[in-house]
């Protein structure tokens, strides 16, 4: 009996190994393990054996049944795996078809530059101040030690506004009015930068715009020296442009600072690039804001933001910054 | 200011060295070198040659064939693109093998079939002038001993020289002269500086007349004129200037005119002293008066224009009070030097800088002379010296000087010694210089500087500021001078550390968040200029009340925007015309409303705009919702309105905490047409200042319920008169604390609905924090919600969805 059973088991395993769908598997399950299967019948017949044989035979029947059961499970697993493979294959997608459907927008280049500048100065202990773009002659000129007759006024190429007396109201020609507004409402110590839009009667061309952007710095504290100015510029330049870029100051003239300087940064080829102007806040400017120049000293600096973007991205036409062409905007 | 090395060396022969290093020294002194040119440094191989023959090129119109003799008697044929020389002319010639300054190596070659054995050169090609046009003809310039084949530099006796174009700052009137630049450079190099002796030798070029007897000058307004010196030159012949003077004037950027004008300019360039010449015959009795103009007076100036004078302008009149000159700015035509002039009245004066500045600005009459007077010329010895120099140069041309000069005085700046605290100077600069070191720097450029011991025992300075430094008058001015001569690079660098922390303001942080939210939903940040054309506001449906500019560059940029709408529409139109679509833009920028009554400056605000081309109003509302969440805006309400420029039935005002903060919706199709924009365009514009400066929603935690929730769907038939917000408001009010959420999940308009109504379907979620709601509790609150909603006119229940 056991021998017959073993042959049945071999046959069952062979057929289960080749079964190709779940229905056929169910039939084989009934045929080899069901109520009328040889294994079940053999188990039922065990009772008729004498006790000596019953134990050995019982063990053998159970082993055979377990063998067939394992073969059924294995076939079931094999079929499930095959079905899964088929299903996944049916769901196959070419993901490259779906690229670039969603788009994040772009921050404007000027914003990107301005944010980077603000972050560097914030790291150096500065806060960010802002002011209006339309200013009075007091804030744009007079409080900055540029009286009405001063030749420097002409050099600002100011755009005036039809308000007040002639040349009394203007689009600010630099961010320096924010110095005055800050000092009027805040007592020293003052450590601010003031980024913002500025305006001049420059005809738009590849390197000029009538509306452009500057950032201004102002420090007023006890015992501030020109060495502090040079050191601050140097620290900023290294933080913003990289550690191997150097800075230098050259004598210059601005009515609102004294001593005044231009500051340059070094280029890889050993030459220098003029970046902006700076100097020690003129005592008259401090006095105009009610600050005693014998108690407080300060420095100020300023430079163009747009040019940094132009340099960084090698723009050959600055007008792109205001053209709002998406083919330009989306590059950054 | 353009100066040459050779001219500088006339004041400081010790100036020499590598031109590039000298340029660095000049820049470090604040005399920024804008350009440096090596002149007369003609390359080896460029020789003097003579034109033997000129013939047309048989196969080309734009070049001709030239035979030249370069010293060996042989005729060499050259193809040349210039036509300005004649047979017999002497020209610079580069033979094959010569390497030109630009690196080009001259080679024998064929041009259109004709041999070209070298190159005829222009002035610019060999660095002798700026002239690129035509071949440099040297006929009048060769020295007597010149021979064909000789190097060109030797043939014309040219010494190598350096020309610098310097940027001179407004506080450096002294550096508007060759002598002033030489003084600075000599000090930096540690070499001697002195003025040559300009006195005319007593050899007959001076006559017996005395200036005092010929001239009278009266200064009627001493605040206008600090000093007025004048003398007379007799026997003047107005003709061409000598070549050396003409050359220098040209290098300095001035055009030679005639001998008198050229000497006048030469003295001004050399010594910094602007001067003026009158035809003495046109000045009756040699009497001049100096006063300010009165309104209504006029003068025809040398340029032939009749000028209206204003009160305050400085004028010089004759004895009959007829104006003969606009002081320090431009002479009058009535006393102009002509070819008939034999006797010249020479004026050397010092004018009040602010007065000159105002006149120059009003008349827009900038000149070399006035730009020196505006910065403050020298009222001291320079005037005496400049008269001597003028007389000396005129005498070389045969004029005769009278003896001495008249010298009238007005008010000049106080130049008594200034007390300068050395501790204050060091404290400003961050240096540790001794008073003696400071005095050394100052005296090297002509300041008087004496070390004195102060009452407190400190070593301080008594500084006498020279008359050629009008702009220098305070202790800080002197500190700047010390810094300049000590060298900015020699100041040790330190970094101050304020006690306050750095950072962005709350407003600035939130503004950055706004940008990030909008960029995150696919919007590109735009940055139009704030200028509009007249009519742009009207075309955008807005009130035409923009502040205008007084001096716009172009009419299209003459109005300041009151809204970001026109700029965004222009940006969209521009991109659509370049076949870019799917435009999602935002902008943060200032707008300028007319000044409130009593205010000078406009009502300036920072606005945010979102413009979504091809999208309808709901997309703008979605953008507002994103911002509401990000910024934690309290109580954002849309109030039906027809804001100017927007679609009358698809727009609303945005109220934040009860105040109007902006508008949302769609741009008016008529406005889109006006701007040539293909619509629709969803639009959101908010006053960012009001928005970010206002209150914000509480960020306090509210506990999450641990109990199950029940969802109930309700659909209402709602009249178009009633807003969804109103229905939702009723539901929320009725549901109170048990209503955990309301979602409008379906809006239906169509045939199944009575005209003028739509179906609004809401999913209500009920939940309590302390228990599981019973069925009857849910039923009660559901009933309350239905009752509350349908209590409004125009709302009834459609039944369960």
């Amino acid at each position: 009996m056991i021998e017959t059973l073993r042959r049945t088991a071999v046959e069952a395993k062979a057929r289960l190994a080749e079964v190709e769908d779940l229905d056929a598997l169910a039939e084989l399950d009934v045929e080899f393990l069901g109520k009328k299967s040889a294994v079940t019948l053999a188990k039922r017949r065990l009772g008729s054996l004498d006790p000596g044989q019953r134990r050995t035979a019982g063990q053998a029947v159970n082993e055979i049944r377990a063998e067939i059961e394992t073969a059924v499970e294995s076939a079931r697993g094999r079929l499930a795996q095959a079905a899964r493979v088929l299903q996944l294959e049916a769901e196959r997608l070419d993901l490259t078809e779906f690229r670039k459907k969603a788009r994040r927008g772009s921050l404007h280049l000027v914003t990107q530059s301005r944010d980077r500048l603000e972050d560097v100065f914030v790291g150096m202990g500065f806060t960010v101040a802002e002011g209006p773009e339309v200013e009075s002659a007091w804030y744009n000129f007079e409080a900055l030690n540029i009286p009405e007759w001063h030749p420097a006024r002409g050099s600002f190429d100011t755009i005036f506004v039809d308000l007040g007396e002639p040349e009394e109201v203007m689009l600010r020609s630099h961010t320096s009015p924010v110095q005055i507004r800050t000092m009027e409402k805040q007592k020293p110590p003052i450590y601010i930068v003031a980024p913002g839009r500025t305006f001049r009667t420059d005809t738009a061309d590849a390197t000029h715009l009538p509306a452009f952007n500057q950032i201004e710095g102002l420090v007023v504290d006890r015992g501030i020296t020109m060495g502090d100015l040079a050191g601050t510029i140097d620290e900023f330049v290294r933080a913003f442009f990289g550690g191997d870029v150097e800075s230098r100051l050259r004598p210059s003239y601005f009515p609102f600072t004294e001593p005044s300087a231009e500051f340059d940064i070094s280029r890889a080829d050993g030459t220098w690039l003029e970046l902006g102007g700076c100097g020690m806040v003129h005592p008259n400017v401090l006095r105009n804001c009610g600050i005693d120049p014998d108690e407080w000293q300060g420095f100020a600096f300023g430079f163009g933001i747009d040019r940094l973007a132009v340099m960084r991205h090698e723009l050959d036409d600055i007008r792109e910054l205001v053209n709002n062409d998406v083919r330009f905007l989306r590059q950054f | 200011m353009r100066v040459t090395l050779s001219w500088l060396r006339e004041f400081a022969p010790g100036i020499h060295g590598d031109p590039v290093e000298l340029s660095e020294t000049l820049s470090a002194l604040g005399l920024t070198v804008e350009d440096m040119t090596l002149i007369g440094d003609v390359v080896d191989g460029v020789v003097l040659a003579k034109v033997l023959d000129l013939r047309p090129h048989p196969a080309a119109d734009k070049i001709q064939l030239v035979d030249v003799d370069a010293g060996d008697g042989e005729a060499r044929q050259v193809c040349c693109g210039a036509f300005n020389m004649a047979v017999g002319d002497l020209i610079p010639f580069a033979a094959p093998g010569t390497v030109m300054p630009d690196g080009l190596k001259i080679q024998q070659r064929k041009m259109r079939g004709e041999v070209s054995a070298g190159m005829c050169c222009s002035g610019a090609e060999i660095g002798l002038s700026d002239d690129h046009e035509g071949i440099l003809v040297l006929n009048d310039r060769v020295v007597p001993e010149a021979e064909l084949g000789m190097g060109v530099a030797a043939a014309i006796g040219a010494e190598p020289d350096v020309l610098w174009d310097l940027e001179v700052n407004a506080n450096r009137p002294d550096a508007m002269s060759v002598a002033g630049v030489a003084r600075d450079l000599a000090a930096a190099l540690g070499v001697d500086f002195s003025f040559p002796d300009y006195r005319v030798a007593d050899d007959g070029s001076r006559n017996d007349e005395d200036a005092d007897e010929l001239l009278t000058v009266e200064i009627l307004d001493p605040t206008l004129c600090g000093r007025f010196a004048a003398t007379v030159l007799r026997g003047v012949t107005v003709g061409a200037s000598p070549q050396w003077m003409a050359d220098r004037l040209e290098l300095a950027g001035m055009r030679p005119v005639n001998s008198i004008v050229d000497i006048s300019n030469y003295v001004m360039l050399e010594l910094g002293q602007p001067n003026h010449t009158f035809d003495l015959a046109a000045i009756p009795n040699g009497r001049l008066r100096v006063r300010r103009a009165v309104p209504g007076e006029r003068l025809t100036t040398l340029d032939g224009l009749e000028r209206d004078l204003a009160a305050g302008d400085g004028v010089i009149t004759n004895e009959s009070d007829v104006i003969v000159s606009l002081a320090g700015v431009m002479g009058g035509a009535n006393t102009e030097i002509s070819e008939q002039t034999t006797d010249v009245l020479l004026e050397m004066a010092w004018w009040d800088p602010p007065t000159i500045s105002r006149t120059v600005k009003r008349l827009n009459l900038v000149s070399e002379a006035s730009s020196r007077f505006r910065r403050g010329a020298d009222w001291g010895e320079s005037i005496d010296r400049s008269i001597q120099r003028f007389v000396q140069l005129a005498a070389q041309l045969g004029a005769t000087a009278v003896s001495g000069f008249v010298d009238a005085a007005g008010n000049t700046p106080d130049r008594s010694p200034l007390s300068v605290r050395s501790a204050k100077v060091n404290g400003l600069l961050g240096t540790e210089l001794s008073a003696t070191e400071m005095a050394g720097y100052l005296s090297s450029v002509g300041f008087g500087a004496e070390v004195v011991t102060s009452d407190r025992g400190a070593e301080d300075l008594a500084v006498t500021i020279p008359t050629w430094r009008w702009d220098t008058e305070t202790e800080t001015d002197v500190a700047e001078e010390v810094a300049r001569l000590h060298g900015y690079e020699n100041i040790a660098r330190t970094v101050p550390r304020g006690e306050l922390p750095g950072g962005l303001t709350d407003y600035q942080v939130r503004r950055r968040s706004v940008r990030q939210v909008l960029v995150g939903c696919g919007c590109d940040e735009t940055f139009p200029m704030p200028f509009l054309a007249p009519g742009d506001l009207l075309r955008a449906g807005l009130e035409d009340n923009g502040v205008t500019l007084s001096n716009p560059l172009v009419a299209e940029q003459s109005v300041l925007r009151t809204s970001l709408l026109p700029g965004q529409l222009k940006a969209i139109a521009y991109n659509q015309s370049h076949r870019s679509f799917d435009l999602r833009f935002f902008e943060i920028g200032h707008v300028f409303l007319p000044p409130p009554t009593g205010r000078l400056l406009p009502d300036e605000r920072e606005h945010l705009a979102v413009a979504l081309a091809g999208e309808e109003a709901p997309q703008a509302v979605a953008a507002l919702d994103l911002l509401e969440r990000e910024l934690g805006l309290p109580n954002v309400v849309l109030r039906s309105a027809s804001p100017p420029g927007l679609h009358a039935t698809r727009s609303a005002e945005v109220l934040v905490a009860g105040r109007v903060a902006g508008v949302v919706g769609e741009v008016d199709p008529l406005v889109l047409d006006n701007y040539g924009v293909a619509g629709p365009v969803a639009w959101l514009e908010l006053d960012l200042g009001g928005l970010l400066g206002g209150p914000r929603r509480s960020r306090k935690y509210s506990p999450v319920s641990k109990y199950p929730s029940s969802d109930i769907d309700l659909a209402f038939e709602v009249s178009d008169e009633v807003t969804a917000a109103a229905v939702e408001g009723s539901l929320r009010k009725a549901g109170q604390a048990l209503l955990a959420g309301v979602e409008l999940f379906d809006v239906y308009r169509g045939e199944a609905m009575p005209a003028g109504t739509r179906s609004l379907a809401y999913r209500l979620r009920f939940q309590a924090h302390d228990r599981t709601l019973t069925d009857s509790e849910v039923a009660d609150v559901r009933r309350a919600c239905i009752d509350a909603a349908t209590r409004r006119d125009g709302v009834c229940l459609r039944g369960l969805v």
Side-chain angles (χ1 to χ4, degrees):
Chain A
M1 182 187 75
I2 297 299
E3 278 311 306
T4 314
L5 217 46
R6 287 196 200 285
R7 279 197 298 278
T8 306
V10 168
E11 183 200 342
K13 283 194 272 185
R15 287 175 61 193
L16 282 166
E18 285 173 7
V19 71
E20 285 189 349
D21 62 66
L22 288 169
D23 290 346
L25 176 63
E27 282 171 22
L28 290 178
D29 192 2
V30 171
E31 182 180 343
F32 291 107
L33 295 172
K35 287 178 187 162
K36 294 175 184 168
S37 66
V39 176
T40 307
L41 294 177
K43 194 162 187 172
R44 221 177 270 161
R45 277 207 300 276
L46 285 176
S48 61
L49 297 180
D50 64 60
Q53 286 182 315
R54 192 187 302 161
R55 185 186 165 105
T56 328
Q59 213 169 348
V61 170
N62 281 342
E63 281 170 13
I64 289 166
R65 183 178 178 87
E67 257 178 67
I68 296 172
E69 278 172 350
T70 303
V72 168
E73 282 315 305
S74 157
R76 198 184 308 280
R78 178 170 56 77
L79 290 181
Q81 176 60 22
R84 188 177 138 71
V85 166
L86 278 179
Q87 185 190 355
L88 291 181
E89 187 54 43
E91 290 173 2
R92 176 178 293 278
L93 288 182
D94 173 8
L95 298 187
T96 65
E97 291 169 12
F98 305 95
R99 295 218 51 206
K100 316 287 183 193
K101 300 284 187 204
R103 239 198 87 249
R104 192 177 198 274
S106 293
L107 283 180
H108 195 271
L109 272 194
V110 170
T111 300
Q112 294 184 25
S113 297
R114 179 178 158 161
D115 285 356
R116 281 190 69 227
L117 288 167
E118 288 177 357
D119 292 346
V120 166
F121 282 113
V122 162
M124 290 167 66
F126 287 72
T127 56
V128 178
E130 295 175 58
E133 292 172 5
V134 175
E135 273 292 9
S136 63
W138 167 257
Y139 289 104
N140 200 62
F141 290 133
E142 271 138 46
L144 289 161
N145 200 33
I146 314 172
E148 143 276 328
W149 57 267
H150 201 286
R153 273 217 192 179
S155 66
F156 282 100
D157 299 325
T158 310
I159 301 177
F160 293 98
V161 166
D162 291 327
L163 292 173
E165 298 293 314
E167 306 199 352
E168 189 182 5
V169 179
M170 61 215 66
L171 287 164
R172 64 178 176 192
S173 44
H174 48 176
T175 41
S176 305
V178 183
Q179 288 187 28
I180 305 299
R181 288 183 176 275
T182 303
M183 287 190 281
E184 277 181 351
K185 61 178 189 237
Q186 182 186 339
K187 290 201 177 333
I190 292 169
Y191 290 76
I192 58 148
V193 287
R197 216 162 196 181
T198 50
F199 305 86
R200 299 207 180 166
T201 54
D202 281 332
T203 303
D205 62 25
T207 54
H208 296 88
L209 284 175
F212 53 104
N213 297 274
Q214 286 189 342
I215 186 165
E216 184 94 2
L218 173 71
V219 167
V220 181
D221 205 341
R222 286 179 213 279
I224 293 293
T225 70
M226 196 162 166
D228 290 333
L229 166 62
T232 300
I233 297 266
D234 204 51
E235 186 172 80
F236 157 72
V237 164
R238 287 170 195 282
F240 190 82
F241 295 100
D244 52 349
V245 177
E246 293 175 28
S247 67
R248 72 170 185 191
L249 303 191
R250 279 181 295 111
S252 188
Y253 172 75
F254 305 103
F256 35 94
T257 51
E258 184 153 41
S260 298
E262 304 277 358
F263 65 94
D264 301 339
I265 58 171
S266 65
R267 287 190 277 219
D269 64 359
T271 60
W272 295 88
L273 174 73
E274 185 178 316
L275 201 67
C278 61
M280 301 302 292
V281 180
H282 198 288
N284 290 350
V285 175
L286 294 173
R287 275 186 213 109
N288 286 338
C289 301
I291 294 173
D292 177 2
D294 273 331
E295 184 178 358
W296 305 97
Q297 287 179 171
F299 64 73
F301 56 85
F303 54 93
I305 298 178
D306 304 345
R307 237 178 87 216
L308 298 181
V310 166
M311 280 159 48
R312 191 177 182 85
H313 300 282
E314 300 175 34
L315 295 195
D316 58 8
D317 192 335
I318 200 169
R319 284 171 293 196
E320 291 289 8
L321 294 179
V322 294
N323 279 351
N324 303 308
D325 189 323
V326 287
R327 294 168 297 179
F328 171 78
L329 297 175
R330 289 179 182 168
Q331 290 176 26
F332 308 101
Chain B
M1 178 73 202
R2 309 219 300 182
V3 299
T4 59
L5 177 60
S6 60
W7 208 344
L8 294 173
R9 285 166 53 90
E10 290 181 12
F11 299 91
I15 295 176
H16 61 81
D18 175 46
V20 175
E21 281 174 24
L22 289 174
S23 296
E24 288 292 317
T25 307
L26 285 165
S27 290
L29 283 163
L31 304 169
T32 306
V33 174
E34 297 197 314
D35 195 23
M36 184 189 85
T37 317
L38 299 176
I39 48 176
D41 188 19
V42 184
V43 287
D44 289 344
V46 178
V47 298
L48 189 68
K50 185 175 182 177
V51 177
L52 298 177
D53 189 26
L54 296 164
R55 303 182 296 283
H57 190 294
D61 290 342
K62 299 212 167 144
I63 50 179
Q64 64 173 333
L65 301 178
V66 186
D67 284 345
V68 299
D69 174 2
D72 50 12
E74 215 177 285
R76 301 161 182 246
Q77 176 176 296
V78 177
C79 297
C80 180
F83 291 82
N84 67 316
M85 51 294 196
V87 172
D89 278 352
L90 299 174
I91 58 167
F93 173 74
T98 307
V99 180
M100 302 302 286
D102 63 3
L104 176 76
K105 187 173 182 184
I106 304 298
Q107 285 171 327
Q108 176 160 332
R109 57 187 179 138
K110 277 193 171 177
M111 294 174 78
R112 294 268 178 127
E114 291 290 335
V115 171
S116 185
M119 185 171 85
C120 306
C121 306
S122 71
E125 277 162 342
I126 56 174
L128 268 181
S129 76
D130 288 342
D131 193 358
H132 292 268
E133 301 287 323
I135 301 306
L136 181 65
V137 176
L138 297 168
N139 302 359
D140 299 333
R141 297 185 60 175
V142 291
V143 295
E145 57 275 19
E147 291 173 8
L148 296 184
M150 191 184 254
V152 162
I156 63 171
E159 296 284 335
D161 206 347
V162 186
L163 174 66
W164 285 286
D165 193 353
L166 305 176
E167 182 190 341
V168 177
N169 294 315
N171 64 336
R172 294 296 310 279
D174 61 305
M176 294 289 281
S177 69
V178 176
V181 173
R183 183 193 288 117
D184 251 26
L185 190 54
L189 297 174
V191 303
D192 288 339
F193 167 86
S194 64
F195 287 97
D197 186 353
Y198 294 134
R199 278 171 302 178
V200 178
D202 211 359
D203 58 358
S205 50
R206 183 178 292 287
N207 67 21
D208 297 340
E209 293 177 293
D210 200 332
D212 283 341
E213 290 163 12
L214 298 171
L215 302 176
T216 314
V217 175
E218 270 183 281
I219 298 176
L220 301 179
D221 185 340
T223 65
L224 165 64
C225 181
R227 188 174 170 194
F228 194 121
T231 191
V232 167
L233 291 159
R234 298 248 188 234
V236 169
T237 334
V238 178
S241 297
Q243 187 67 40
W244 66 267
M245 184 182 284
D247 286 348
R248 274 200 171 164
L249 288 172
E250 282 197 80
L251 285 173
M254 297 194 87
R255 177 180 292 276
V257 180
N258 64 45
S259 47
I260 291 299
V261 173
D262 292 351
I263 292 172
S264 172
N265 285 333
Y266 190 89
V267 170
M268 174 179 68
L269 293 172
E270 185 172 64
L271 301 175
Q273 179 60 52
N275 51 82
H276 183 62
T277 50
F278 299 87
D279 186 340
L280 183 64
I283 310 284
N285 300 316
R287 299 177 75 90
L288 293 176
R289 288 187 182 140
V290 174
R291 64 167 170 87
R292 291 191 193 264
V294 293
E297 287 191 297
R298 316 185 94 189
L299 173 68
T300 302
T301 43
L302 283 176
D303 51 12
L305 296 178
E306 188 172 24
R307 312 257 180 194
D308 286 319
L309 305 183
D313 288 338
V315 295
I316 303 170
T317 70
N318 66 17
E319 62 179 2
S320 317
D321 208 36
V322 172
I323 299 175
V324 296
S325 178
L326 187 52
V329 178
M330 194 178 272
N334 51 6
T335 51
E336 184 178 2
I337 305 285
S338 69
E339 285 181 13
Q340 285 73 49
T341 303
T342 55
D343 296 336
V344 167
L345 189 164
L346 171 65
E347 164 207 330
M348 292 278 174
W350 186 85
W351 304 102
D352 174 53
T355 300
I356 301 297
S357 260
R358 290 187 183 107
T359 303
V360 164
K361 190 181 166 210
R362 187 171 48 77
L363 297 176
N364 192 22
L365 226 175
V366 178
S367 67
E368 289 281 343
S370 65
S371 62
R372 285 171 173 77
F373 283 129
R374 297 176 77 171
R375 294 165 193 236
D378 188 346
W379 62 89
E381 279 175 35
S382 171
I383 285 187
D384 309 52
R385 189 179 297 121
S386 298
I387 290 180
Q388 288 174 1
R389 179 60 162 155
F390 196 113
V391 167
Q392 181 197 45
L393 291 171
Q396 288 171 7
L397 300 183
T400 312
V402 305
S403 186
F405 55 87
V406 295
D407 199 355
N411 299 348
T412 50
D414 178 17
R415 280 297 182 257
S416 49
L418 174 74
S419 175
V420 172
R421 297 164 289 176
S422 56
K424 181 71 181 173
V425 173
N426 280 325
L428 188 67
L429 303 182
T431 49
E432 290 172 0
L433 299 169
S434 69
T436 310
E437 285 172 295
M438 291 181 195
Y441 287 134
L442 292 168
S443 55
S444 73
V445 288
F447 284 60
E450 203 180 318
V451 178
V452 292
T453 305
S454 75
D455 301 342
R456 292 164 287 111
E459 295 230 306
D460 286 337
L461 294 167
V463 175
T464 308
I465 295 163
T467 51
W468 57 84
R469 296 296 292 270
W470 177 73
D471 190 71
T472 305
E473 52 185 351
T474 65
E475 187 176 56
T476 318
D477 294 330
V478 172
E480 176 175 61
E481 201 59 19
V482 170
R484 198 172 69 83
L485 293 156
H486 178 58
Y488 283 11
E489 285 312 287
N490 296 321
I491 295 174
R493 297 175 179 195
T494 46
V495 178
R497 287 291 172 214
E499 289 169 14
L500 305 172
L504 298 177
T505 62
D506 191 44
Y507 180 92
Q508 290 157 350
V509 170
R510 298 174 88 201
R511 185 174 55 197
R512 285 192 178 189
S513 303
V514 168
R515 287 196 167 96
Q516 289 303 335
V517 165
L518 293 170
V519 162
C521 60
C523 296
D524 294 308
E525 186 179 19
T526 55
F527 203 48
M529 295 197 284
F531 311 119
L532 301 180
D536 275 354
L537 289 168
L538 280 178
R539 292 194 302 132
L542 303 170
E543 193 185 341
D544 193 16
N545 61 348
V547 171
T548 54
L549 304 181
S550 319
N551 56 335
L553 282 161
V554 285
E556 291 74 48
Q557 300 177 356
S558 62
V559 180
L560 291 179
R561 62 189 177 188
T562 57
S563 158
L564 301 181
L565 181 59
Q568 287 301 314
L569 292 176
K570 285 182 185 184
I572 291 171
Y574 172 88
N575 280 287
Q576 288 181 341
S577 74
H578 289 78
R579 308 205 315 110
S580 296
F581 305 102
D582 184 26
L583 305 168
R584 300 172 68 83
F585 285 160
F586 80 95
E587 180 190 359
I588 292 176
H590 289 209
V591 300
F592 309 86
L593 307 176
T597 315
R599 292 285 190 79
L600 180 64
L601 297 183
D603 179 5
E604 187 171 333
R605 295 152 184 253
E606 186 157 62
H607 273 198
L608 161 71
V610 181
L612 309 170
E615 302 282 4
E616 300 183 17
Q619 289 299 310
V621 175
L624 174 66
D625 288 339
L626 290 175
L627 294 173
E628 177 191 11
R629 269 207 66 75
E630 171 66 26
L631 299 173
L633 299 178
N635 193 18
V636 174
V637 171
L638 300 189
R639 184 164 74 190
S640 293
S642 302
L646 299 195
H647 192 300
T649 58
R650 289 188 159 199
S651 303
E653 286 176 337
V654 179
L655 276 71
V656 177
R659 295 174 57 180
V660 177
V663 294
V664 64
E666 229 172 277
V667 180
D668 185 340
L670 184 64
V671 169
L672 296 179
D673 270 357
N674 290 342
Y675 277 85
V677 168
V681 173
W683 179 253
L684 171 66
E685 183 165 9
L686 298 170
D687 179 346
L688 212 50
L691 205 67
L692 302 185
R696 71 169 99 175
R697 199 155 53 200
S698 162
R699 297 282 225 177
K700 199 183 150 213
Y701 155 80
S702 67
V704 176
S705 172
K706 297 179 180 67
Y707 297 91
S709 60
S710 305
D711 287 353
I712 298 287
D713 292 350
L714 296 173
F716 298 96
E717 179 188 303
V718 181
S719 154
D720 286 341
E721 307 292 313
V722 180
T723 65
V727 176
E728 184 180 323
S730 301
L731 295 172
R732 284 191 184 279
K733 203 168 173 195
Q736 294 190 343
L738 295 184
L739 186 58
V742 181
E743 183 199 350
L744 175 61
F745 70 88
D746 186 49
V747 179
Y748 171 73
R749 282 184 175 83
E751 287 174 11
M753 300 302 298
T757 73
R758 78 280 200 200
S759 163
L760 300 179
Y762 291 91
R763 178 158 300 150
L764 310 181
R765 172 161 293 185
F766 298 112
Q767 192 174 29
H769 278 285
D770 53 354
R771 64 191 189 281
T772 303
L773 292 174
T774 63
D775 288 350
S776 77
E777 276 180 303
V778 171
D780 288 349
V781 67
R782 172 180 176 275
R783 188 72 248 162
C785 286
I786 292 169
D787 290 349
T790 55
R791 206 171 296 134
R792 284 180 178 274
D793 286 343
V795 180
C796 56
L797 188 66
R798 280 189 78 208
L800 299 175
V801 180

